[in-house]
Amino acid sequence: MTDFFNDIPNIAYEGPETDNEFAFRHYDPDEVVMGKRMEDHLRFAVAYWHSFAWEGGDPFGGRTFERPWYPQDSMEMARLKADAAFEMFARLGQPFFCFHDADVRPEGDSFAQSAARLDEITDYFGQKMEATGTRLLWGTANLFSHRRFMAGAATNPDPDVFAYTGATIKSCLDATHRLGGENYVMWGGREGYETLLNTDLARERQQAGRMLQMVVDYKHKIGFTGTLLIEPKPQEPTKHQYDYDVATVYGFLKDFGLEGEVKVNIEQGHAILAGHSFEHELALAAALGIFGSIDINRNDYQSGWDTDQFPVNVPEMALAYYEVLKAGGFTTGGTNFDAKLRRQSLDAEDLILAHVGGMDACARGLKAAAAMLEDGTLERLRAERYAGWDTEDAQALLTRATLEHCDDCVRKGNLDPQPRSGRQERLENLVNRFV
Ligand code: XUL
Ligand code: CO
């Protein structure tokens, strides 16, 4: 046990008027929104890596944090870290967490030792999950930090690294399965390249496709019923990452015939890095039938880095949850805080209150999104914009038409289409009434 969070109370909902910093103003897990409890809509998860493994370093300086579970180089410290993590989940009432193998156990001297350590901590997690009711949203493998992965994991030019990758994924999928994880995530950290001068793109794409097929096969073999998720990101750490965005991942899945097997975990900051809005990525994934889960951390809009900050912008959250609700809400997915403190935020209180603020921002966004949907004006206006397609003749254009038929329609019908306003500013004004 640690006393790291001892001075911090359990966080409860007290409403928007409270003066208490250690309270939720908007997140009431039991409040029913569109027929479902808020906790069941949002399905919040703490990211183990940022909250417990990251030590506050940046490219210009090392560790700034002091934690009772440092140095993170023994199984004793790994267990202490787990104690602290589960204490924090309880303080926040967060129903889920997510982890990589490297976050939860020190690297061993061999693959076998690393895997045995993961097994050991998986057992420890299992006991704690049973005692506290905390669940695993997803597990994943860290295939990017160790130097063996510097030229990629599945896409590495060295077949030994490909094999090491498969073995590592197997161990992490086994751990996720044992803990009843609801998803398994694959973020292609270094699956990309720095320079085309030494890279065979076509070969690396085949390797990535083969690895994904093996993951799908193994999932079915062990009876893992969770969802496999790819997390797109366009760059950082590699200059050009293969899983650039939702559209690119969909093309890749189609290419390998896996679009029915794998969905996406969409991160707000990654969407922005790819030059998209978060809601664009969510809407596209839903339209393509591959929407799975979200990582709710924003970037700094000026620096252009993946700064993994906690969400605070309610209008942004409203537009995001609007797409999530329109997609039917989460099934196995949820809202993972893949967010870290700024490196000057040293205290246990900072860690707790960053999550409290993020949970409140998401809750406000969800409620605004639900109100917009229940009001229905936005969807009615969108439907009206396409109302011309409701006739049988218009539908025939999509099913039976040829270019000659189009030519006939225009000439015989004397068609002279007149543009209509897209009403963008009026729609933006409408949204602003809800946020
Ligand atoms: C990196 C990132 C990862 C994934 C899991 O940008 O988002 O933490 O979420 O590997
Ligand atoms: Co992420």
Side-chain angles (χ1 to χ4, degrees):
M1 281 292 147
T2 87
D3 56 6
F4 190 62
F5 293 114
N6 270 6
D7 297 336
I8 299 174
N10 286 344
I11 310 294
Y13 174 73
E14 291 184 9
E17 306 306 327
T18 184
D19 284 334
N20 182 5
E21 214 184 352
F22 291 90
F24 295 119
R25 287 169 172 69
H26 305 280
Y27 177 63
D28 177 0
D30 291 321
E31 184 179 333
V32 173
V33 175
M34 289 181 77
K36 202 152 102 178
R37 291 172 66 249
M38 228 194 271
E39 182 179 86
D40 301 330
H41 267 294
L42 292 164
R43 294 167 60 84
F44 285 128
V46 172
Y48 211 92
W49 50 102
H50 285 319
S51 286
F52 303 104
W54 182 63
E55 300 187 343
D58 74 6
F60 303 93
R63 170 163 84 75
T64 56
F65 300 157
E66 303 285 357
R67 303 289 191 240
W69 54 93
Y70 293 172
Q72 303 181 63
D73 58 0
S74 67
M75 286 305 285
E76 190 194 338
M77 287 307 197
R79 277 189 294 275
L80 200 61
K81 179 161 58 173
D83 294 343
F86 278 81
E87 278 167 37
M88 188 173 98
F89 307 154
R91 293 283 189 285
L92 290 168
Q94 285 245 8
F96 291 100
F97 72 111
C98 303
F99 72 92
H100 305 80
D101 49 356
D103 313 331
V104 301
R105 55 99 185 104
E107 179 88 13
D109 295 332
S110 62
F111 176 81
Q113 190 181 34
S114 294
R117 287 177 170 182
L118 180 61
D119 270 353
E120 192 182 324
I121 209 76
T122 299
D123 286 342
Y124 198 60
F125 279 176
Q127 290 160 24
K128 288 189 166 287
M129 288 166 70
E130 200 164 316
T132 60
T134 306
R135 291 179 285 159
L136 178 62
L137 186 64
W138 46 266
T140 188
N142 180 325
L143 298 166
F144 43 89
S145 293
H146 194 280
R147 62 193 292 276
R148 76 174 67 87
F149 298 120
M150 74 175 190
T155 64
N156 201 290
D158 180 351
D160 288 357
V161 179
F162 183 89
Y164 208 102
T165 298
T168 304
I169 294 177
K170 177 181 177 298
S171 69
C172 292
L173 196 49
D174 284 340
T176 303
H177 184 40
R178 256 169 64 201
L179 295 173
E182 304 207 7
N183 308 269
Y184 181 82
V185 164
M186 290 160 285
W187 169 57
R190 294 190 192 272
E191 311 293 27
Y193 63 84
E194 301 300 328
T195 172
L196 261 185
L197 297 177
N198 65 11
T199 302
D200 182 341
L201 271 176
R203 185 191 279 272
E204 294 199 1
R205 184 179 173 81
Q206 289 305 316
Q207 289 176 211
R210 181 64 206 145
M211 183 60 70
L212 191 59
Q213 182 66 61
M214 294 196 298
V215 176
V216 169
D217 291 347
Y218 189 67
K219 164 198 157 148
H220 291 302
K221 182 164 182 210
I222 62 175
F224 176 65
T225 53
T227 310
L228 295 176
L229 300 170
I230 289 183
E231 184 174 323
K233 186 176 182 181
Q235 76 257 338
E236 210 194 319
T238 68
K239 166 165 170 51
H240 184 105
Q241 230 143 292
Y242 295 133
D243 298 330
Y244 196 96
D245 58 3
V246 168
T248 312
V249 168
Y250 186 70
F252 175 78
L253 293 176
K254 286 290 268 190
D255 199 4
F256 291 90
L258 295 172
E259 70 276 15
E261 294 280 0
V262 181
K263 293 185 159 66
V264 282
N265 180 41
I266 304 172
E267 176 166 319
Q268 186 193 17
H270 297 178
I272 293 164
L273 275 182
H276 301 303
S277 67
F278 190 30
E279 57 272 21
H280 164 87
E281 290 289 81
L282 296 169
L284 183 61
L288 296 172
I290 56 167
F291 171 65
S293 198
I294 62 178
D295 276 8
I296 199 81
N297 40 288
R298 69 196 158 98
N299 286 356
D300 182 286
Y301 283 105
Q302 283 77 48
S303 77
W305 298 334
D306 185 17
T307 51
D308 287 335
Q309 290 173 250
F310 283 85
V312 287
N313 187 320
V314 175
E316 279 183 357
M317 293 304 97
L319 293 178
Y321 283 108
Y322 191 77
E323 296 304 329
V324 172
L325 289 176
K326 268 207 326 168
F330 296 121
T331 49
T332 61
T335 303
N336 172 41
F337 285 99
D338 190 356
K340 61 175 182 260
L341 294 172
R342 299 308 87 190
R343 68 197 290 273
Q344 297 179 55
S345 303
L346 301 180
D347 302 336
E349 284 84 353
D350 294 319
L351 196 49
I352 296 285
L353 293 176
H355 284 90
V356 170
M359 291 161 83
D360 264 345
C362 291
R364 282 178 78 181
L366 176 79
K367 283 191 261 193
M372 279 195 276
L373 267 178
E374 278 169 342
D375 170 77
T377 311
L378 200 54
E379 287 318 300
R380 182 171 53 71
L381 293 175
R382 194 198 310 266
E384 273 174 19
R385 189 155 180 255
Y386 294 89
W389 286 98
D390 290 346
T391 68
E392 222 172 274
D393 283 353
Q395 281 304 308
L397 285 172
L398 293 179
T399 50
R400 299 192 295 278
T402 59
L403 293 185
E404 294 94 315
H405 175 73
C406 289
D407 181 87
D408 224 39
C409 285
V410 174
R411 289 174 195 274
K412 289 204 180 126
N414 249 336
L415 297 191
D416 179 19
Q418 296 302 309
R420 284 187 305 154
S421 172
R423 301 178 175 176
Q424 180 168 335
E425 296 77 8
R426 291 167 68 180
L427 297 173
E428 287 165 349
N429 294 350
L430 173 66
V431 168
N432 268 347
R433 282 193 236 157
F434 293 90
V435 298

